[in-house]
PDB file of all heavy atoms in Angstrom:
ATOM      1  N   ARG C1479     141.660  32.133  21.384  1.00 80.00           N
ATOM      2  CA  ARG C1479     140.243  31.783  21.327  1.00 80.00           C
ATOM      3  C   ARG C1479     139.964  30.459  22.033  1.00 80.00           C
ATOM      4  O   ARG C1479     138.973  30.327  22.767  1.00 80.00           O
ATOM      5  CB  ARG C1479     139.801  31.709  19.863  1.00 80.00           C
ATOM      6  CG  ARG C1479     138.334  31.345  19.684  1.00 80.00           C
ATOM      7  CD  ARG C1479     137.922  31.434  18.240  1.00 80.00           C
ATOM      8  NE  ARG C1479     138.004  32.821  17.767  1.00 80.00           N
ATOM      9  CZ  ARG C1479     137.655  33.193  16.534  1.00 80.00           C
ATOM     10  NH1 ARG C1479     137.223  32.276  15.669  1.00 80.00           N
ATOM     11  NH2 ARG C1479     137.758  34.459  16.169  1.00 80.00           N
ATOM     12  N   TRP C1486     135.864  29.716  29.896  1.00 93.00           N
ATOM     13  CA  TRP C1486     134.426  29.825  30.132  1.00 93.00           C
ATOM     14  C   TRP C1486     133.794  28.463  30.403  1.00 93.00           C
ATOM     15  O   TRP C1486     132.797  28.375  31.132  1.00 93.00           O
ATOM     16  CB  TRP C1486     133.756  30.496  28.938  1.00 93.00           C
ATOM     17  CG  TRP C1486     133.961  31.985  28.950  1.00 93.00           C
ATOM     18  CD1 TRP C1486     134.737  32.725  28.132  1.00 93.00           C
ATOM     19  CD2 TRP C1486     133.366  32.891  29.890  1.00 93.00           C
ATOM     20  NE1 TRP C1486     134.684  34.052  28.488  1.00 93.00           N
ATOM     21  CE2 TRP C1486     133.846  34.184  29.562  1.00 93.00           C
ATOM     22  CE3 TRP C1486     132.491  32.751  30.962  1.00 93.00           C
ATOM     23  CZ2 TRP C1486     133.473  35.315  30.276  1.00 93.00           C
ATOM     24  CZ3 TRP C1486     132.124  33.877  31.674  1.00 93.00           C
ATOM     25  CH2 TRP C1486     132.598  35.137  31.332  1.00 93.00           C
ATOM     26  N   GLY C1519     119.555  22.250  52.090  1.00 78.00           N
ATOM     27  CA  GLY C1519     120.519  21.712  53.043  1.00 78.00           C
ATOM     28  C   GLY C1519     120.657  20.206  52.985  1.00 78.00           C
ATOM     29  O   GLY C1519     121.040  19.572  53.978  1.00 78.00           O
ATOM     30  N   SER C1575     130.954  26.642  52.421  1.00 88.00           N
ATOM     31  CA  SER C1575     131.547  25.509  53.132  1.00 88.00           C
ATOM     32  C   SER C1575     131.746  25.848  54.603  1.00 88.00           C
ATOM     33  O   SER C1575     131.492  25.018  55.488  1.00 88.00           O
ATOM     34  CB  SER C1575     132.888  25.139  52.490  1.00 88.00           C
ATOM     35  OG  SER C1575     132.724  24.772  51.137  1.00 88.00           O
ATOM     36  N   TRP C1591     116.328  31.268  53.290  1.00 76.00           N
ATOM     37  CA  TRP C1591     117.022  31.491  52.022  1.00 76.00           C
ATOM     38  C   TRP C1591     117.733  32.844  51.986  1.00 76.00           C
ATOM     39  O   TRP C1591     118.682  33.022  51.226  1.00 76.00           O
ATOM     40  CB  TRP C1591     116.035  31.383  50.869  1.00 76.00           C
ATOM     41  CG  TRP C1591     114.941  32.423  50.905  1.00 76.00           C
ATOM     42  CD1 TRP C1591     113.718  32.294  51.485  1.00 76.00           C
ATOM     43  CD2 TRP C1591     114.987  33.730  50.345  1.00 76.00           C
ATOM     44  NE1 TRP C1591     112.992  33.440  51.332  1.00 76.00           N
ATOM     45  CE2 TRP C1591     113.741  34.349  50.625  1.00 76.00           C
ATOM     46  CE3 TRP C1591     115.941  34.452  49.634  1.00 76.00           C
ATOM     47  CZ2 TRP C1591     113.436  35.638  50.225  1.00 76.00           C
ATOM     48  CZ3 TRP C1591     115.641  35.755  49.231  1.00 76.00           C
ATOM     49  CH2 TRP C1591     114.407  36.336  49.515  1.00 76.00           C
ATOM     50  N   ILE C1597     125.244  35.309  51.524  1.00 88.00           N
ATOM     51  CA  ILE C1597     126.532  34.659  51.245  1.00 88.00           C
ATOM     52  C   ILE C1597     126.853  34.742  49.756  1.00 88.00           C
ATOM     53  O   ILE C1597     127.986  35.055  49.363  1.00 88.00           O
ATOM     54  CB  ILE C1597     126.496  33.197  51.718  1.00 88.00           C
ATOM     55  CG1 ILE C1597     126.393  33.139  53.243  1.00 88.00           C
ATOM     56  CG2 ILE C1597     127.734  32.438  51.236  1.00 88.00           C
ATOM     57  CD1 ILE C1597     126.188  31.746  53.795  1.00 88.00           C
ATOM     58  N   LEU C1598     125.865  34.479  48.924  1.00 89.00           N
ATOM     59  CA  LEU C1598     126.078  34.479  47.482  1.00 89.00           C
ATOM     60  C   LEU C1598     126.507  35.860  46.975  1.00 89.00           C
ATOM     61  O   LEU C1598     127.505  35.998  46.264  1.00 89.00           O
ATOM     62  CB  LEU C1598     124.795  34.034  46.783  1.00 89.00           C
ATOM     63  CG  LEU C1598     124.839  33.942  45.256  1.00 89.00           C
ATOM     64  CD1 LEU C1598     125.847  32.892  44.817  1.00 89.00           C
ATOM     65  CD2 LEU C1598     123.449  33.619  44.709  1.00 89.00           C
ATOM     66  N   GLY C1617     140.345  46.051  30.779  1.00 85.00           N
ATOM     67  CA  GLY C1617     139.292  47.005  30.446  1.00 85.00           C
ATOM     68  C   GLY C1617     139.833  48.328  29.961  1.00 85.00           C
ATOM     69  O   GLY C1617     139.141  49.072  29.254  1.00 85.00           O
ATOM     70  N   TRP C1618     141.079  48.631  30.347  1.00 84.00           N
ATOM     71  CA  TRP C1618     141.692  49.881  29.917  1.00 84.00           C
ATOM     72  C   TRP C1618     141.872  49.924  28.401  1.00 84.00           C
ATOM     73  O   TRP C1618     141.964  51.012  27.816  1.00 84.00           O
ATOM     74  CB  TRP C1618     143.031  50.052  30.618  1.00 84.00           C
ATOM     75  CG  TRP C1618     143.643  51.409  30.437  1.00 84.00           C
ATOM     76  CD1 TRP C1618     144.707  51.747  29.660  1.00 84.00           C
ATOM     77  CD2 TRP C1618     143.210  52.620  31.051  1.00 84.00           C
ATOM     78  NE1 TRP C1618     144.977  53.082  29.756  1.00 84.00           N
ATOM     79  CE2 TRP C1618     144.070  53.652  30.606  1.00 84.00           C
ATOM     80  CE3 TRP C1618     142.182  52.938  31.952  1.00 84.00           C
ATOM     81  CZ2 TRP C1618     143.935  54.971  31.019  1.00 84.00           C
ATOM     82  CZ3 TRP C1618     142.042  54.255  32.363  1.00 84.00           C
ATOM     83  CH2 TRP C1618     142.907  55.245  31.905  1.00 84.00           C
ATOM     84  N   LEU C1639     123.685  50.753  47.554  1.00 87.00           N
ATOM     85  CA  LEU C1639     123.574  49.708  48.567  1.00 87.00           C
ATOM     86  C   LEU C1639     124.064  50.206  49.915  1.00 87.00           C
ATOM     87  O   LEU C1639     123.401  50.042  50.943  1.00 87.00           O
ATOM     88  CB  LEU C1639     124.365  48.476  48.135  1.00 87.00           C
ATOM     89  CG  LEU C1639     124.369  47.304  49.121  1.00 87.00           C
ATOM     90  CD1 LEU C1639     122.967  46.761  49.298  1.00 87.00           C
ATOM     91  CD2 LEU C1639     125.304  46.205  48.655  1.00 87.00           C
ATOM     92  N   ARG C1641     124.431  53.319  50.901  1.00 88.00           N
ATOM     93  CA  ARG C1641     123.728  54.501  51.381  1.00 88.00           C
ATOM     94  C   ARG C1641     122.283  54.219  51.763  1.00 88.00           C
ATOM     95  O   ARG C1641     121.719  54.905  52.633  1.00 88.00           O
ATOM     96  CB  ARG C1641     123.767  55.587  50.297  1.00 88.00           C
ATOM     97  CG  ARG C1641     123.276  56.937  50.782  1.00 88.00           C
ATOM     98  CD  ARG C1641     123.252  57.966  49.664  1.00 88.00           C
ATOM     99  NE  ARG C1641     122.804  59.241  50.163  1.00 88.00           N
ATOM    100  CZ  ARG C1641     122.425  60.269  49.396  1.00 88.00           C
ATOM    101  NH1 ARG C1641     122.465  60.127  48.079  1.00 88.00           N
ATOM    102  NH2 ARG C1641     122.015  61.396  49.925  1.00 88.00           N
ATOM    103  N   PRO C1658     122.731  44.915  58.047  1.00 76.00           N
ATOM    104  CA  PRO C1658     123.347  45.088  56.724  1.00 76.00           C
ATOM    105  C   PRO C1658     124.634  44.306  56.543  1.00 76.00           C
ATOM    106  O   PRO C1658     125.735  44.850  56.537  1.00 76.00           O
ATOM    107  CB  PRO C1658     123.591  46.602  56.660  1.00 76.00           C
ATOM    108  CG  PRO C1658     123.758  47.003  58.084  1.00 76.00           C
ATOM    109  CD  PRO C1658     122.841  46.130  58.870  1.00 76.00           C
ATOM    110  N   ALA C1680     150.644  48.029  44.543  1.00 95.00           N
ATOM    111  CA  ALA C1680     150.963  49.026  43.515  1.00 95.00           C
ATOM    112  C   ALA C1680     152.211  49.815  43.893  1.00 95.00           C
ATOM    113  O   ALA C1680     153.105  50.035  43.060  1.00 95.00           O
ATOM    114  CB  ALA C1680     149.775  49.970  43.322  1.00 95.00           C
ATOM    115  N   GLY C1684     155.738  49.532  41.933  1.00 92.00           N
ATOM    116  CA  GLY C1684     156.274  50.757  41.352  1.00 92.00           C
ATOM    117  C   GLY C1684     157.666  51.077  41.846  1.00 92.00           C
ATOM    118  O   GLY C1684     158.544  51.467  41.060  1.00 92.00           O
ATOM    119  N   CYS C1686     159.859  48.899  43.145  1.00 91.00           N
ATOM    120  CA  CYS C1686     160.800  47.864  42.685  1.00 91.00           C
ATOM    121  C   CYS C1686     161.157  48.057  41.210  1.00 91.00           C
ATOM    122  O   CYS C1686     162.260  47.692  40.781  1.00 91.00           O
ATOM    123  CB  CYS C1686     160.206  46.477  42.916  1.00 91.00           C
ATOM    124  SG  CYS C1686     160.147  45.990  44.658  1.00 91.00           S
ATOM    125  N   PRO C1693     169.036  45.321  45.071  1.00 86.00           N
ATOM    126  CA  PRO C1693     168.244  44.341  45.825  1.00 86.00           C
ATOM    127  C   PRO C1693     167.945  44.759  47.258  1.00 86.00           C
ATOM    128  O   PRO C1693     166.867  44.443  47.783  1.00 86.00           O
ATOM    129  CB  PRO C1693     169.104  43.072  45.771  1.00 86.00           C
ATOM    130  CG  PRO C1693     170.479  43.545  45.425  1.00 86.00           C
ATOM    131  CD  PRO C1693     170.308  44.758  44.584  1.00 86.00           C
ATOM    132  N   ALA C1701     159.087  45.911  52.130  1.00 94.00           N
ATOM    133  CA  ALA C1701     158.719  45.972  53.550  1.00 94.00           C
ATOM    134  C   ALA C1701     157.865  47.213  53.836  1.00 94.00           C
ATOM    135  O   ALA C1701     156.851  47.131  54.547  1.00 94.00           O
ATOM    136  CB  ALA C1701     159.976  45.980  54.419  1.00 94.00           C
ATOM    137  N   GLU C1747     157.127  45.165  32.973  1.00 89.00           N
ATOM    138  CA  GLU C1747     156.039  44.371  33.539  1.00 89.00           C
ATOM    139  C   GLU C1747     155.698  44.826  34.954  1.00 89.00           C
ATOM    140  O   GLU C1747     154.531  44.836  35.345  1.00 89.00           O
ATOM    141  CB  GLU C1747     156.410  42.895  33.524  1.00 89.00           C
ATOM    142  CG  GLU C1747     156.429  42.282  32.127  1.00 89.00           C
ATOM    143  CD  GLU C1747     156.723  40.799  32.165  1.00 89.00           C
ATOM    144  OE1 GLU C1747     157.019  40.288  33.262  1.00 89.00           O
ATOM    145  OE2 GLU C1747     156.656  40.148  31.109  1.00 89.00           O
ATOM    146  N   SER C1754     148.091  48.708  36.932  1.00 94.00           N
ATOM    147  CA  SER C1754     146.829  47.962  37.006  1.00 94.00           C
ATOM    148  C   SER C1754     146.305  47.902  38.435  1.00 94.00           C
ATOM    149  O   SER C1754     145.101  48.075  38.681  1.00 94.00           O
ATOM    150  CB  SER C1754     147.028  46.544  36.462  1.00 94.00           C
ATOM    151  OG  SER C1754     147.414  46.576  35.101  1.00 94.00           O
ATOM    152  N   ASP C1776     124.152  61.658  55.410  1.00 91.00           N
ATOM    153  CA  ASP C1776     122.719  61.457  55.634  1.00 91.00           C
ATOM    154  C   ASP C1776     122.407  61.386  57.121  1.00 91.00           C
ATOM    155  O   ASP C1776     121.434  61.990  57.606  1.00 91.00           O
ATOM    156  CB  ASP C1776     122.258  60.166  54.956  1.00 91.00           C
ATOM    157  CG  ASP C1776     122.261  60.274  53.440  1.00 91.00           C
ATOM    158  OD1 ASP C1776     122.346  61.408  52.936  1.00 91.00           O
ATOM    159  OD2 ASP C1776     122.201  59.225  52.776  1.00 91.00           O
ATOM    160  N   GLU C1798     103.884  77.457  74.260  1.00 91.00           N
ATOM    161  CA  GLU C1798     102.614  78.164  74.073  1.00 91.00           C
ATOM    162  C   GLU C1798     101.444  77.414  74.700  1.00 91.00           C
ATOM    163  O   GLU C1798     100.565  78.027  75.321  1.00 91.00           O
ATOM    164  CB  GLU C1798     102.363  78.371  72.586  1.00 91.00           C
ATOM    165  CG  GLU C1798     101.069  79.112  72.286  1.00 91.00           C
ATOM    166  CD  GLU C1798     100.881  79.390  70.810  1.00 91.00           C
ATOM    167  OE1 GLU C1798     101.877  79.331  70.051  1.00 91.00           O
ATOM    168  OE2 GLU C1798      99.734  79.681  70.398  1.00 91.00           O
ATOM    169  N   PRO C1829     112.333  55.992  46.621  1.00 86.00           N
ATOM    170  CA  PRO C1829     110.939  56.188  47.055  1.00 86.00           C
ATOM    171  C   PRO C1829     110.070  56.799  45.957  1.00 86.00           C
ATOM    172  O   PRO C1829     108.874  56.490  45.857  1.00 86.00           O
ATOM    173  CB  PRO C1829     111.066  57.145  48.248  1.00 86.00           C
ATOM    174  CG  PRO C1829     112.465  56.996  48.721  1.00 86.00           C
ATOM    175  CD  PRO C1829     113.275  56.697  47.496  1.00 86.00           C
ATOM    176  N   GLY C1845     102.993  62.724  77.120  1.00 82.00           N
ATOM    177  CA  GLY C1845     102.524  63.654  78.135  1.00 82.00           C
ATOM    178  C   GLY C1845     103.471  64.820  78.295  1.00 82.00           C
ATOM    179  O   GLY C1845     103.462  65.762  77.502  1.00 82.00           O
ATOM    180  N   ASP C1905     126.445  39.366 106.817  1.00 77.00           N
ATOM    181  CA  ASP C1905     126.162  38.155 106.042  1.00 77.00           C
ATOM    182  C   ASP C1905     127.369  37.244 105.868  1.00 77.00           C
ATOM    183  O   ASP C1905     127.218  36.089 105.458  1.00 77.00           O
ATOM    184  CB  ASP C1905     125.628  38.532 104.656  1.00 77.00           C
ATOM    185  CG  ASP C1905     124.297  39.259 104.737  1.00 77.00           C
ATOM    186  OD1 ASP C1905     123.619  39.116 105.777  1.00 77.00           O
ATOM    187  OD2 ASP C1905     123.948  39.962 103.767  1.00 77.00           O
ATOM    188  N   PRO C1908     132.222  33.193 108.562  1.00 77.00           N
ATOM    189  CA  PRO C1908     133.649  32.946 108.851  1.00 77.00           C
ATOM    190  C   PRO C1908     134.097  31.525 108.524  1.00 77.00           C
ATOM    191  O   PRO C1908     135.287  31.281 108.301  1.00 77.00           O
ATOM    192  CB  PRO C1908     133.756  33.223 110.354  1.00 77.00           C
ATOM    193  CG  PRO C1908     132.567  34.065 110.686  1.00 77.00           C
ATOM    194  CD  PRO C1908     131.488  33.612 109.759  1.00 77.00           C
ATOM    195  N   VAL C1911     134.752  32.014 104.668  1.00 70.00           N
ATOM    196  CA  VAL C1911     135.692  33.072 104.304  1.00 70.00           C
ATOM    197  C   VAL C1911     136.691  33.242 105.434  1.00 70.00           C
ATOM    198  O   VAL C1911     136.308  33.505 106.588  1.00 70.00           O
ATOM    199  CB  VAL C1911     134.954  34.401 104.035  1.00 70.00           C
ATOM    200  CG1 VAL C1911     135.957  35.492 103.658  1.00 70.00           C
ATOM    201  CG2 VAL C1911     133.912  34.215 102.941  1.00 70.00           C
ATOM    202  N   TRP C1944     119.644  61.710  73.477  1.00 82.00           N
ATOM    203  CA  TRP C1944     119.667  61.007  72.201  1.00 82.00           C
ATOM    204  C   TRP C1944     120.082  59.551  72.447  1.00 82.00           C
ATOM    205  O   TRP C1944     121.131  59.298  73.012  1.00 82.00           O
ATOM    206  CB  TRP C1944     120.681  61.634  71.247  1.00 82.00           C
ATOM    207  CG  TRP C1944     120.171  62.770  70.426  1.00 82.00           C
ATOM    208  CD1 TRP C1944     120.439  64.096  70.605  1.00 82.00           C
ATOM    209  CD2 TRP C1944     119.327  62.681  69.286  1.00 82.00           C
ATOM    210  NE1 TRP C1944     119.814  64.845  69.652  1.00 82.00           N
ATOM    211  CE2 TRP C1944     119.119  63.998  68.816  1.00 82.00           C
ATOM    212  CE3 TRP C1944     118.722  61.618  68.609  1.00 82.00           C
ATOM    213  CZ2 TRP C1944     118.335  64.281  67.715  1.00 82.00           C
ATOM    214  CZ3 TRP C1944     117.936  61.906  67.519  1.00 82.00           C
ATOM    215  CH2 TRP C1944     117.738  63.222  67.072  1.00 82.00           C
TER     216      TRP C1944
END
Side-chain angles (χ1 to χ4, degrees):
R1479 180 174 295 182
W1486 282 109
S1575 300
W1591 63 268
I1597 293 173
L1598 181 63
W1618 190 254
L1639 179 64
R1641 190 183 181 194
C1686 288
E1747 289 183 354
S1754 298
D1776 290 345
E1798 181 176 342
D1905 296 339
V1911 180
W1944 273 105

